[in-house]
Amino acid sequence: MAASTETSVGFVDAAVHHRVQQFYAEQMQLLDRGEAEPWARTFTEDGVFGTSVDPEPARGRAAIAAGAAEATARLAADGVVHRHWLGMLHLRPAADGGLHARSYALVIRTPKGGEPVVWRSCVCEDLLVPTDGGGWLVRERHVHRDDLS
Amino acid sequence: MAASTETSVGFVDAAVHHRVQQFYAEQMQLLDRGEAEPWARTFTEDGVFGTSVDPEPARGRAAIAAGAAEATARLAADGVVHRHWLGMLHLRPAADGGLHARSYALVIRTPKGGEPVVWRSCVCEDLLVPTDGGGWLVRERHVHRDDLS
Amino acid sequence: MAASTETSVGFVDAAVHHRVQQFYAEQMQLLDRGEAEPWARTFTEDGVFGTSVDPEPARGRAAIAAGAAEATARLAADGVVHRHWLGMLHLRPAADGGLHARSYALVIRTPKGGEPVVWRSCVCEDLLVPTDGGGWLVRERHVHRDDLS
């Protein structure tokens, strides 16, 4: 009963897919715990992180860590918690064993004593590169906010 | 230390599970980019797509593509972006190598310059059929909106 | 082109990762359908379930089932539907073949005829233990609400 017409969907290997899922889960948790340095180490040394609102992307781990530390301090001052959810992960092979990853991202924002809201809805486009140990790092990330699209 | 009492949970093969996840990720992204024809090709030729609000389901790829194109035009006219998230995916074997897939779906709606909201919360019930190439197509989909349940 | 610096991210086996994902999907669906007894059987006999608001955790399947039945009755009386989403699942090996699972959880609440809201945003910390059949059970769960953190 195999259907006669193939879908356009391409697939990456199960082992790659599950590792990338685990990579993102840990990466988002590091960010939301305010672990700026370990978060920055999920990017390559020369990693690039751009968003819809920054005129220039952050370049390199030091800049990426500084951005995360600043965001963490602002959240603490405001008495809110952010949770980054990443989903609908679509992977395509890139050059040299890398992966293009296009996913959706939500930021859920909860004030202490208050109600959570969907703070941001975004599309996240990553270029992932493999590490020697079978893991992944982000070489380039561009986050596109839906409200600014 | 294996627990003595088995859970009721059944499992499908890892390779199947990860491919279905990838299938849904790409399918949702096609819809949200307004790619009506490629979206329709993720259903079988005679695919059926019913929702809580349509008196009759859409039948066949042409009808499914027309529905997606209409929705895309309406969103553009309203100046909003929709993102479809599918999660909590539960798979059970169906006849002839197919799969029953029951999942949750959210539609996140973001007006340009505005705040995102959870527009819809739904349960999505699919009958998936395998393709020759190792992929999947939707033969039947029924989307149940929580607000109308 | 493997990157020279390893990320801190650790990985569990693909087969384990996909089974735990399927376990959680079914577990959340059981809860949201109000199937209190099958839900309780996804915990060990002596399972513990604690939240930010309960002075004492529920201990054992009977107590866990009673809590679910009570919640289900309250939702029906209020005319609302809850959907539990679990994501950003991070797994680490625990003693005796178990797993520490740290994930994010959302509760999406939809009143009949109304609009969905994000009712709760939480962090869920589980100790999972393997069953003889290759599945998993929750031995200990602690749910931390972001608004009370």
Side-chain angles (χ1 to χ4, degrees):
Chain A
M1 182 168 139
S4 56
T5 316
E6 186 53 77
T7 169
S8 66
V9 172
F11 299 98
V12 303
D13 188 61
V16 168
H17 183 241
H18 93 95
R19 284 214 167 191
V20 174
Q21 287 180 308
Q22 292 185 60
F23 170 76
Y24 279 124
E26 182 156 1
Q27 194 194 39
M28 296 300 123
Q29 293 204 14
L30 288 172
L31 177 61
D32 295 334
R33 282 200 302 260
E35 298 188 27
E37 299 293 338
W39 152 261
R41 287 196 297 274
T42 64
F43 291 78
T44 58
E45 276 289 0
D46 60 351
V48 173
F49 183 2
T51 72
S52 301
V53 289
D54 301 315
E56 282 299 315
R59 292 181 188 281
R61 286 180 174 167
I64 290 168
E70 202 181 293
T72 299
R74 204 165 45 234
L75 294 175
D78 292 349
V80 298
V81 175
H82 276 191
R83 301 289 175 205
H84 287 77
W85 286 65
L86 196 141
M88 300 296 97
L89 172 64
H90 179 229
L91 299 173
R92 283 176 305 119
D96 299 313
L99 290 169
H100 296 289
R102 187 182 191 270
S103 59
Y104 293 172
L106 294 179
V107 185
I108 307 295
R109 179 185 179 92
T110 308
K112 300 204 173 170
E115 304 289 322
V117 296
V118 183
W119 179 245
R120 298 286 182 250
S121 173
C122 306
V123 171
C124 177
E125 292 191 290
D126 279 354
L127 173 62
L128 302 174
V129 294
T131 65
D132 295 333
W136 298 91
L137 295 173
V138 179
R139 170 147 292 162
E140 254 183 78
R141 169 166 296 174
H142 294 280
V143 178
H144 310 274
R145 276 173 46 182
D146 287 345
D147 57 317
L148 303 177
S149 67
Chain B
M1 182 168 139
S4 56
T5 317
E6 185 54 77
T7 169
S8 67
V9 172
F11 298 99
V12 304
D13 187 64
V16 168
H17 183 242
H18 93 95
R19 285 213 167 193
V20 174
Q21 287 180 309
Q22 292 185 59
F23 170 76
Y24 279 125
E26 181 155 1
Q27 194 194 39
M28 295 301 123
Q29 293 206 15
L30 287 172
L31 177 61
D32 294 334
R33 282 201 300 260
E35 298 189 26
E37 300 293 339
W39 153 261
R41 287 197 298 274
T42 64
F43 291 78
T44 59
E45 276 290 0
D46 60 351
V48 174
F49 182 3
T51 72
S52 301
V53 290
D54 301 315
E56 282 299 315
R59 290 181 188 280
R61 286 181 175 168
I64 290 168
E70 202 180 294
T72 300
R74 202 166 48 235
L75 294 175
D78 292 348
V80 298
V81 174
H82 276 191
R83 301 290 175 203
H84 286 76
W85 285 65
L86 196 140
M88 300 297 97
L89 172 64
H90 181 229
L91 298 173
R92 283 176 306 119
D96 298 313
L99 290 169
H100 297 290
R102 187 181 192 271
S103 59
Y104 292 171
L106 294 179
V107 186
I108 307 295
R109 179 185 180 93
T110 309
K112 300 205 172 168
E115 304 288 321
V117 296
V118 182
W119 180 246
R120 299 286 182 248
S121 173
C122 306
V123 171
C124 178
E125 292 191 292
D126 280 354
L127 174 61
L128 301 175
V129 293
T131 65
D132 295 333
W136 299 91
L137 295 174
V138 178
R139 169 149 293 160
E140 253 183 78
R141 168 166 297 176
H142 294 280
V143 178
H144 310 274
R145 276 171 47 181
D146 286 344
D147 57 317
L148 303 176
S149 67
Chain C
M1 180 169 141
S4 56
T5 316
E6 186 54 78
T7 170
S8 67
V9 172
F11 299 99
V12 303
D13 188 63
V16 168
H17 183 241
H18 92 96
R19 285 213 166 192
V20 174
Q21 287 180 309
Q22 291 184 61
F23 170 77
Y24 279 124
E26 181 155 2
Q27 195 194 37
M28 296 300 123
Q29 293 205 14
L30 288 172
L31 177 62
D32 294 333
R33 283 200 300 260
E35 298 189 27
E37 299 292 338
W39 152 260
R41 287 197 297 275
T42 64
F43 291 78
T44 58
E45 277 289 359
D46 61 350
V48 173
F49 182 3
T51 72
S52 302
V53 290
D54 301 315
E56 281 299 314
R59 290 182 190 279
R61 285 181 176 169
I64 291 169
E70 204 181 292
T72 300
R74 204 166 46 235
L75 293 176
D78 292 348
V80 298
V81 174
H82 275 191
R83 302 289 175 204
H84 287 75
W85 285 66
L86 197 140
M88 299 298 96
L89 171 63
H90 180 228
L91 299 172
R92 282 175 307 119
D96 300 313
L99 290 169
H100 296 290
R102 188 181 192 271
S103 59
Y104 292 171
L106 295 179
V107 186
I108 307 295
R109 180 185 179 92
T110 309
K112 299 202 175 172
E115 305 288 323
V117 296
V118 182
W119 180 244
R120 298 286 182 251
S121 173
C122 307
V123 171
C124 178
E125 292 192 291
D126 280 354
L127 174 61
L128 302 175
V129 294
T131 66
D132 296 334
W136 299 92
L137 295 173
V138 178
R139 171 147 292 160
E140 254 183 78
R141 169 166 297 176
H142 294 281
V143 178
H144 310 274
R145 276 172 47 182
D146 286 344
D147 57 318
L148 303 176
S149 67

